[in-house]
């Protein structure tokens, strides 16, 4: 323990003695009332802390809003700071993370299975550099991608052999859109 830690400990001890002395003088002869007040404030503190923690969890689970209107798709920023787009791939709805740092459309193995691609039958001959290092990838063709009013056919994509939480919508698809980001909203149009 260095000198700063010792000084902090002494400060806290003096503060505790002052508050404790005030409580003893204020509630002299009424120890039951002091304990009730202490418990009430303790429960209030625990309730506020629990509410804050639950709110953070609930915000993470709140759905983002994607709205199609006037030939545009508008999506609000998710609580984690990212934009997610619901795209219909081969007739199945997949939630993609909009990733302007990704070059390609990248499907997780789970999402590949959902759209009718068997990841175990693919030849993982490609390689991609990610923030977590190099991963093996397999090139596939998607029959259709539908985002809002637009459908694109015979689209190239990659299936990632590594673990992914979700699929990525990269620039090879996004370059076909005019993309505007204004604070908490992203607007795509063609």
């Amino acid at each position: 323990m260095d000198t700063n830690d010792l000084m902090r400990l002494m400060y806290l001890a003096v503060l505790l003695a002052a508050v404790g002395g005030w409580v003893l003088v204020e509630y002299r002869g009424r120890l039951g009332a002091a304990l009730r007040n202490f418990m009430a404030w303790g429960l209030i503190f625990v309730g506020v802390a629990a509410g804050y923690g639950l709110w953070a969890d609930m915000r993470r689970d709140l759905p983002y809003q994607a709205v199609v209107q006037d030939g545009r798709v508008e999506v609000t920023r998710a609580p984690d700071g990212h934009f997610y787009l619901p795209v219909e791939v081969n007739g199945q709805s997949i939630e993609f993370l909009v990733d302007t740092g990704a070059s390609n459309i990248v499907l997780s193995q789970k999402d590949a299975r959902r759209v009718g691609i068997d990841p175990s039958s693919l030849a993982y001959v490609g390689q991609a550099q990610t923030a977590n290092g190099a991963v093996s990838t397999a090139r596939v063709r998607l029959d259709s991608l539908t985002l809002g009013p637009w459908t694109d056919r015979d689209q190239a994509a990659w299936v990632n052999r590594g673990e992914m939480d979700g699929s990525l919508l990269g620039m090879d698809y996004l370059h076909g859109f005019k993309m505007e980001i204004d604070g908490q909203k992203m607007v795509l149009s063609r």
Side-chain angles (χ1 to χ4, degrees):
M1 185 179 289
D2 66 2
T3 306
N4 285 337
D5 289 339
L6 186 59
M7 294 305 285
R8 286 187 189 115
L9 186 61
M10 287 175 42
Y11 170 76
L12 289 174
V14 169
L15 186 62
L16 182 63
V19 171
W22 176 82
V23 168
L24 286 175
V25 170
E26 181 67 27
Y27 290 101
R28 184 180 24 184
R30 300 180 302 151
L31 186 59
L35 288 175
R36 271 194 311 277
N37 286 339
F38 177 74
M39 290 298 291
W41 280 107
L43 288 173
I44 289 170
F45 177 77
V46 167
V48 168
Y52 178 78
L54 288 174
W55 176 248
D57 288 344
M58 287 181 347
R59 281 199 58 196
R60 202 172 317 128
D61 295 336
L62 288 175
Y64 58 88
Q65 267 201 328
V67 178
V68 178
Q69 64 182 16
D70 302 326
R72 303 165 10 140
V73 173
E74 296 181 10
V75 63
T76 55
R77 188 182 300 270
D80 66 2
H82 297 288
F83 292 102
Y84 296 90
L85 284 171
V87 179
E88 196 171 287
V89 179
N90 296 350
Q92 296 293 318
S93 183
I94 303 289
E95 181 183 85
F96 282 90
L97 167 70
V98 175
D99 189 351
T100 57
S103 300
N104 307 108
I105 298 171
V106 182
L107 293 173
S108 68
Q109 294 206 4
K110 176 183 169 189
D111 288 341
R113 279 196 242 8
R114 286 188 59 209
V115 301
I117 298 169
D118 180 11
S120 64
S121 69
L122 299 175
Y124 292 90
V125 295
Q127 193 169 40
Q129 295 299 322
T130 70
N132 294 326
V135 294
S136 298
T137 59
R139 187 176 175 137
V140 295
R141 301 297 295 182
L142 303 175
D143 295 333
S144 66
L145 261 78
T146 302
L147 172 60
W150 309 289
T151 298
D152 295 297
R153 303 227 176 262
D154 195 34
Q155 184 75 41
W158 299 88
V159 176
N160 189 341
R161 180 178 249 167
E163 289 296 317
M164 291 177 60
D165 291 332
S167 296
L168 307 176
L169 200 56
M171 291 307 295
D172 65 348
Y173 182 71
L174 294 171
H175 81 276
F177 293 90
K178 178 181 177 190
M179 186 175 5
E180 302 170 59
I181 298 176
D182 183 20
Q184 298 299 312
K185 183 173 31 173
M186 180 177 68
V187 179
L188 295 174
S189 59
R190 279 193 171 164

